[in-house]
Every structure is written in structure tokens, then in C-alpha cells.
Amino acid sequence: GGAECAGHADSNAFSVLTMNLGHGRGKGFHQLTQSSGEIVSNLDDILVLLDQEAPDIAAFQEIDAPSIWSGRFNHIDYLGERGRFCTSIRGSHVEMMGLSYGTALLSRLELSNPLAVTFAPPLTTVPTGFVVSTVRLPGRKGFDIDVVSAHLDFLSRSIRKKQVDELIALLRARGKHVIIMGDLNSTWSAQGSTVQYLMDKLALKAYQPDSGELVTFPSLGRRLDWVLVSAAFEFDSYRVVGSGLSDHSGVLARLVLAPVD
């Protein structure tokens, strides 16, 4: 919910941001060790980033609905209302013992056909999943884009591959242009890279995929967070942003479409 979506000036360009919020703990060791006031302050730091960068669509992972360990309030609504987004969709992939968290999309463009999917239960400790919703750029009749916020398993490459197969099957069935954002817990160069596999199967593009500069998980020096796009899009710019706001940095990409004849 939120304000009515006011539309978008440029039908050929828009910007997207993705970030794993780590339950709003900021630089803290664990969200349980922080007061709700500290969590609010951490989210306010995220809002400063959203204000500076003004993405049209933001994808978040490890974002909490009311949870006992992170202040008992809805972080998606908090960011959505204060971040000037008009609409949001969330998927809670973990719902247990007073916890509710998962993935979300916050958008300044109208979202339609929303779907939240928790991946089929693998042999893993923490369920993950994705949300997907369709965006239509103004002035672009029939040009529908499925935007995804995804979080893949952090432990096992074979589980990640199964999860990605589930995502691929769904997106193929929906049959739209695609932007996949999120914490894919995979680097480009790793053997059997989940990122490479996903890009290959859906014919997606990444920005300088083999660059060593775009680290999003500083403690391990790895690029785990990605924006992957269909062939209809070009990257106008691509930056790592928001260092220190979570254990992950964010990524901001400005995407352009080939102009309509």
C-alpha cells in the first residue's frame, strides 16, 4: 500500500537498488543485541541512502516484518512509507518463534501480478525464497518487466541450483523481460557458479561480471549481490553503495532501454 503511484517521467531509463538488510542490525553483531531504537536508527540510515539515490525500485533481502529480535515492527512498511515508495510486496520465507522475515520489493512504479515464493524445503537451516512482480514502464505498451528480489541458500551450491531451477521455471512460465536482484550467495568465478548458471539459462546480462572491484560482502571480499537483466536492458551505470549499513553493501544500477523507433 501507500500513496498512489504517480508515474514515471522517463520511459527509457529507471534505477534499481538491491541490498541484504541483515534484519536491520546495521554494523551490529546480531539484531538480538540491539534495542528497537538502534534498529530504527539503522533503518533511518538506509532511508538516507534511499533518499540520496532515489531508486525507482528497491529489492531487499533479510527484511523483517514484526519480529521479536528486531524491534517488533514492520521494516518494509517503515522504509516504504518514509522512502516515498507507493507500493510494496513482501514474502516471509521464515515464519516461526516470533520471527517473520524474507524478501521484498518497494516501488515507485505500479506493481502487478505479485507472487511470493519460499523455495521447496531443502536440507538447510534457514528457508529462503523470492518475490516477483510485474512493472510496466509508462509509454511502453506491452513492455512488461518481471522484477525479482531473491535470496539464495548460503551453504550449499547444490541447493542454490535447485532454488534457481525453481525460479527459472516460474519466470519462463510468466514470459516477460526480467530483472533479478538480490543476495545470490554466489560469485561469478566460483566453480559451478550459480550466477553463471542462472544467467545462462535465462540469457541474462550482468555488469562487468568478472570485475574484482564490485565487492558487496566486505568481510569475505566477495561479490554476492547482483542485478541481472534481460537483453532489452543496458547498464547505464552500476555502483556498490551503502557500505557499512549492513553486513552486505547495496548495488545501485541505472538501466536504459533501447529507444523505441
Side-chain angles (χ1 to χ4, degrees):
E4 205 172 308
C5 291
H8 184 68
D10 189 343
S11 61
N12 295 322
F14 60 107
S15 61
V16 297
L17 179 142
T18 182
M19 192 175 207
N20 180 324
L21 280 187
H23 312 287
R25 65 176 166 256
K27 291 195 184 88
F29 170 69
H30 193 278
Q31 53 280 9
L32 265 174
T33 65
Q34 297 191 309
S35 69
S36 52
E38 287 172 304
I39 299 273
V40 166
S41 168
N42 294 335
L43 291 180
D44 286 343
D45 291 341
I46 303 282
L47 282 170
V48 171
L49 175 71
L50 292 173
D51 200 46
Q52 282 171 346
E53 305 295 355
D56 295 298
I57 304 169
F60 293 116
Q61 305 83 45
E62 291 193 358
I63 187 167
D64 293 12
S67 293
I68 52 176
W69 68 7
S70 58
R72 299 176 187 266
F73 67 100
N74 190 316
H75 296 188
I76 298 141
D77 290 352
Y78 188 85
L79 293 176
E81 285 157 15
R82 289 162 184 78
R84 297 202 298 273
F85 296 98
C86 60
T87 181
S88 65
I89 164 183
R90 75 179 179 94
S92 277
H93 311 305
V94 173
E95 288 272 7
M96 59 184 184
M97 302 185 303
L99 301 180
S100 174
Y101 65 86
T103 55
L105 290 168
L106 301 178
S107 181
R108 294 173 183 174
L109 303 167
E110 202 67 60
L111 297 175
S112 60
N113 301 323
L115 189 64
V117 175
T118 300
F119 291 121
L123 304 167
T124 185
T125 44
V126 182
T128 57
F130 64 92
V131 289
V132 57
S133 199
T134 305
V135 169
R136 179 169 290 177
L137 289 184
R140 287 267 176 171
K141 273 210 167 56
F143 190 90
D144 286 357
I145 308 158
D146 265 345
V147 183
V148 175
S149 175
H151 189 195
L152 301 184
D153 188 71
F154 73 102
L155 278 177
S156 157
R157 192 178 75 214
S158 63
I159 289 174
R160 280 195 297 276
K161 181 177 178 296
K162 286 185 184 129
Q163 292 178 337
V164 160
D165 282 337
E166 204 177 324
L167 175 60
I168 289 165
L170 181 105
L171 290 174
R172 281 183 174 157
R174 286 169 67 107
K176 297 174 172 56
H177 300 285
V178 175
I179 299 169
I180 296 174
M181 297 187 270
D183 176 4
L184 304 185
N185 270 309
S186 167
T187 61
W188 172 258
S189 55
Q191 194 182 352
S193 164
T194 311
V195 173
Q196 286 201 33
Y197 178 76
L198 174 58
M199 286 172 61
D200 186 48
K201 293 290 181 197
L202 286 177
L204 303 176
K205 301 191 285 197
Y207 180 83
Q208 297 181 359
D210 46 6
S211 164
E213 304 292 300
L214 297 164
V215 168
T216 64
F217 194 68
S219 66
L220 293 177
R222 289 188 183 153
R223 181 181 183 181
L224 300 180
D225 303 80
W226 295 84
V227 176
L228 308 175
V229 300
S230 296
F233 305 97
E234 300 287 342
F235 290 101
D236 185 47
S237 64
Y238 194 99
R239 288 186 290 127
V240 175
V241 296
S243 299
L245 299 182
S246 163
D247 54 346
H248 289 252
S249 300
V251 173
L252 181 86
R254 184 173 157 84
L255 303 174
V256 291
L257 298 172
V260 181
D261 293 338

